[in-house]
Each structure stands twice: as C-alpha cells, then as structure tokens.
Amino acid sequence: MRFVIIGAGRVGLRTARVLHEEGHDVVIVERDEDRAARARTESFEVVEGDGSHEATLVDAGVDDADALGALSGDLNANFAACMIAKHHGCRTVMRIDEDYREEIYQKYADEVDEVVYPERLGAIGAKNALLGGNIQAIADIAEHLQVLLFTVTESSPMRGYTLSEVALPSQARLLAFGKEGEPMGLPFPDDSLEVGDRIAVLADFEVLGDVRQLLVGDDAGETLASAAGGAPGPGGADGGDAR
C-alpha cells in the first residue's frame, strides 16, 4: 500500500518507519528543513512543504495514496490535510493531542476516518511494560470500556474448562480466543482453556478485577483493582488500567 504521512516529528517518523518495515511505500510531507533532512537520511521519500496545502499533497502523490496520516503537532494543519485527502479519495487518520476538550475532539472525529491520541497509545504501552504479567491493555474503547488480552495461567480458576463454561460479568464480553502459539480467532463454545492460551475481552473498568480473578487467578490482583478505581474520563492519557 502507499501512504502519505504529514509530519516528520516523533510520531510521524516512527509511524513511517513501521509502515516501511512492513513493505509499504511511504511519502513524508514536512515543512521544517531539518526534519525533512533527517527523514531523507533514513531513505524516505520526502516532499518539503505545508501539508495543509493541496498542491503539496498532490506533489506527494495523494491521488495514488491509499491513506493519509496527518500526524504533525499542528491540529489545524492536520485537519486541513485530512479534508484535502478526503476530497482525493484517501482514507484519513488525524492526530489530536490529549489537551483538547471533548467537544473539540468530536468536531474533528466526525469529519475524518480515525483519530489517534499519541499520548494515550504511549501511556498504554508504558503501562503494559511496567506491569508485565499475564494481562495486557490493548485499547480504550470508551470512557469506561477497555479491550484486554488475558493469558491463562496455572492459577486460573477456568483452566481446563471450555469457553461455554466461562461466566463473565454482565459488563464484559469475550471477543477472541487463541491457543498458545497459534493466531487468535473467533471464540467457539467448545474451545478449552489451557495454560498459555489467550483471551481478548471487552470489559467495563468496574469489573476488571472480577474478570482478572476469573481468567488469571490471584496473581497481583490488587494492582488491577487500584488502577481501575483511578481511571480518568475522556481525554485522559491512560483511560484505566489492566493487571
């Protein structure tokens, strides 16, 4: 696939690296000469100019791109780039920082395909690294909802049971299941839970402790309970915890 990335700063350049490593074609648009030069030293194709100008995006090949990621630190420039790209038939992804109010977020979210919060994504990654263990936060879905990935342990009360026998709290839903060492897929009632198997669950923050106790066991339960109790609302950098 072909992508246009607006901004060669921390977020934009790292995203471009990941896409490039996966074999995609990436063009970076950057108006700062030093950042543009740094991106070129990493062998990226760079168009110097303002990503909020249509002529610049045309030069970057927006007509042939599958998607545009407006990932600079300038919210207005990001939004303008997305509107231009949308006009050219591109999928649009816009960066917005955490210090904007919910109504500002909603204003922009209604106009683009996806909104990303670098601070929130970074916080989830840092949180997982700090906590370790057998539970991993994947994404914040809403103010009180989070998708978590649980790994079945020796102490799991559900080890040896089938998925049909797992009675999750009413505020939690089983999304996917994978045997140890195999890809995750749709959960089936007859799948059995063994050590190392993984379960993706959508859960309300209020029942994270119950879900952890059911699927993982007693290991480090207090961490999850205290973290979930301090979950912030929309716009918070963390959005809850998982352990």
Side-chain angles (χ1 to χ4, degrees):
M1 299 178 70
R2 183 174 178 83
F3 299 98
V4 175
I5 301 296
I6 309 300
R10 173 179 54 87
V11 178
L13 195 55
R14 288 182 179 179
T15 303
R17 289 187 192 119
V18 172
L19 291 170
H20 178 72
E21 289 169 359
E22 294 182 356
H24 301 292
D25 293 329
V26 181
V27 179
I28 296 176
V29 176
E30 176 55 61
R31 59 191 177 193
D32 181 86
E33 291 184 7
D34 292 337
R35 287 183 173 179
R38 182 177 63 180
R40 287 195 180 96
T41 63
E42 298 191 28
S43 301
F44 283 112
E45 179 182 350
V46 179
V47 173
E48 286 193 51
D50 191 332
S52 64
H53 294 171
E54 186 169 14
T56 303
L57 295 185
V58 170
D59 288 344
V62 69
D63 286 319
D64 299 319
D66 294 286
L68 176 141
L71 305 178
S72 77
D74 185 333
L75 177 62
N76 292 324
N78 287 346
F79 183 67
C82 285
M83 293 301 96
I84 295 168
K86 190 174 183 179
H87 177 73
H88 285 264
C90 263
R91 174 176 172 79
T92 55
V93 176
M94 188 181 77
R95 168 185 173 181
I96 186 169
D97 294 319
E98 291 286 356
D99 55 353
Y100 289 101
R101 300 185 305 276
E102 178 68 16
E103 60 267 25
I104 299 294
Y105 156 77
Q106 196 60 52
K107 170 186 174 182
Y108 291 111
D110 290 342
E111 300 294 334
V112 301
D113 292 305
E114 295 285 348
V115 171
V116 294
Y117 292 90
E119 292 86 352
R120 180 175 296 177
L121 296 175
I124 288 177
K127 171 178 59 182
N128 288 331
L130 287 166
L131 293 173
N134 299 296
I135 303 176
Q136 181 180 6
I138 298 175
D140 295 332
I141 303 300
E143 181 177 356
H144 297 293
L145 292 175
Q146 191 171 77
V147 177
L148 304 104
L149 184 64
F150 295 86
T151 301
V152 178
T153 67
E154 288 280 356
S155 61
S156 170
M158 289 289 100
R159 183 167 62 90
Y161 287 79
T162 64
L163 293 182
S164 64
E165 297 173 306
V166 177
L168 292 175
S170 60
Q171 301 99 315
R173 295 289 184 273
L174 180 60
L175 299 180
F177 174 76
K179 301 297 291 183
E180 183 179 14
E182 298 180 8
M184 297 191 72
L186 293 175
F188 295 102
D190 293 336
D191 288 330
S192 62
L193 294 173
E194 305 297 341
V195 174
D197 293 348
R198 291 157 299 140
I199 309 170
V201 175
L202 172 66
D204 189 284
F205 291 138
E206 291 183 358
V207 299
L208 292 182
D210 295 334
V211 175
R212 183 213 59 80
Q213 173 64 36
L214 184 68
L215 298 177
V216 177
D218 294 326
D219 296 339
E222 294 182 0
T223 303
L224 177 60
S226 61
D238 195 332
D241 217 321
R243 174 68 178 190

